[in-house]
Amino acid sequence: MRDLIEVCAPLIYESVSEFPVSEEHISSLIGPATDGRMADVAIPCHSLSGVFKKSPIEVAEEICRVISPSLEGVAITSTINGFVNLKADPRWLSSKTMSLLPDERLGVKKEISRKIVVDYSAPNVAKEMHVGHLRSTVIGDAIVRMLQFKGHQVIRENHIGDWGTPFGMLIEHLIDEGEEKFALEKGISDFDNFYKEARSKFSDDSEFANRARARVVLLQGEDEDTLRLWKVLVDVSTSYFNEVYGMLGVLLDNDDLMGESAYKHLLPQVVERLDESGLLVESNGASVVFLGGKWVNREGQPFPVMIRKADGGYNYSTSDLACIIDRVERLSCDELLYVVGTPQKQHFEMVFEVAKKAGFMNDTHSAIHVNFGSVLDSNGQMLKSRAGQSVKLVDLLRESISRAGQAIAERNSELSDEETVRISKIIGIGAVKYADLSTDRAKDYVFDWDRMLSFEGNTAPYLQYSYARISRIFSLSPISRDSLKETKIELLAEEEQNLARCIVNFSESLDQSASSFHPHKLCTHIHTTSSAFASFYEACPVIKADDEGVMASRLALCDLTARVISTGLGILGIQSPEMM
Ligand code: ARG
């Protein structure tokens, strides 16, 4: 109830001016109430006991007495255990809700635009995309959309793993297998085997290993034919990635590809600049940076950031340092977000620290590792397919769509076959994405088909169903949806007030979600709104309301609810079907 606090605070300061307490002190006390059912805003008075020379209970009562008259029509006051509680007055709530009717953005303000690079998805060439990449793709996409909605200039970068020593063996294996066969068979993706085959040949067959090593040298020397073969691997992989992105309906496309290979020309510069800044040291033939401080290994020895290996090869860290130089100096971005799993926490901490020490970033830049936990199966193990290999993402998505189709069929819906196909996709994909987005990203989450596809609870199908239900109300309504922009909203029933509260709080929850890069906060809000709608719809007849004014007012609430759901889900990258 940020808006309520904004209106109440100055009225409260004015009323308490006769008391020996500063505006700052009072303002530091006013905050959202912990129990939303009791109040929207609370002022804990315990710390004022000393200045007032009274018990907190008495202080609360005294403050409540003086502020109540000025809050008339805005908030209803009460006290309990040394707290002053404020609950939004239905009159204030209704005028606030009405102001959102013509507002396309539902009260969400744009911020001063920052230039933000979001690094996400980032699968590896010639390897299967795993569920970790699915999480990165889905969470990254939601964050991109939230930040864009808030008015920021967002640059999407898909930092695919498309460079480095493994490409020597991968290219040689490609030659052995035959390019055409590869493009044909692997085009539908069986990358895990391809990678494993290459690796086992590399360790068992010394002739192959020698060829692979020689191939790395050719690749680094940008030998034409080698680059062409490398490109075959990259193209086949990226077309597979694009298939997954297309199914998921995320914003990523080929223009966003900015893989490790894009930074290869900057790698020598990283070494040079680290050397100039005095950070680089030689250690057993390799060039490394010692950050000191907490970076020690188990034996207490300083633990280095590897920049260039003894054989001259560069490291993952080197490539990320080059990437920072590029994002700061070429793109002049203010913020660098990395949507990558928690296991890479140390990598990013160290890389950011080196980049700051070396002056690749300064205090005006913020680099944030937007980390996330693992996907587990119902036994608490890392999610794997039955054969024990990593789950193939397209298969997983296809399964979700087919399960959604079954769920729709079981509900005896009146959809035509064609509509069932279209809507199964929306529900199946929405369910997978939402299951991922609705849990705190820092935690592991359990992949559970039944739960994610359930039409009850904090799930996409439940929210989509609420939206479809409202669309149905409008299809039966004698009042058209477009004519509701200036409707007088009256909040008589408690359920109407609760629903209005959710609508008003949408902008605040979106802001909290966007500023913390935590999509689950927005999910929770959309779910709370849908539940409030269910209670409202049960208690308050809409089309069958007694008079036309009440009907219009309730239809206006329905309209706003539907917009909270579809705007909210849209920002999470999830569609809302009109029927299901
Ligand atoms: N390709 C990496 C992986 O699969 C993720 C890259 C993340 N982005 C980055 N700038 N390091 O683990």
Side-chain angles (χ1 to χ4, degrees), residues 182-200:
F182 174 79
L184 227 59
E185 284 175 12
K186 314 296 172 188
I188 43 166
S189 163
D190 191 7
F191 294 124
D192 271 354
N193 279 336
F194 184 82
Y195 203 94
K196 275 183 203 142
E197 284 156 15
R199 193 163 21 227
S200 75

Side-chain angles (χ1 to χ4, degrees), residues 322-343:
C323 184
I324 291 177
I325 294 179
D326 188 65
R327 289 172 187 180
V328 168
E329 297 177 10
R330 182 178 65 87
L331 299 172
S332 350
C333 69
D334 309 302
E335 225 162 87
L336 298 83
L337 305 183
Y338 296 80
V339 187
V340 184
T342 307

Side-chain angles (χ1 to χ4, degrees), residues 64 129 178 456 467 547:
C64 183
M129 274 178 105
E456 301 294 331
Y467 179 83
D547 72 80

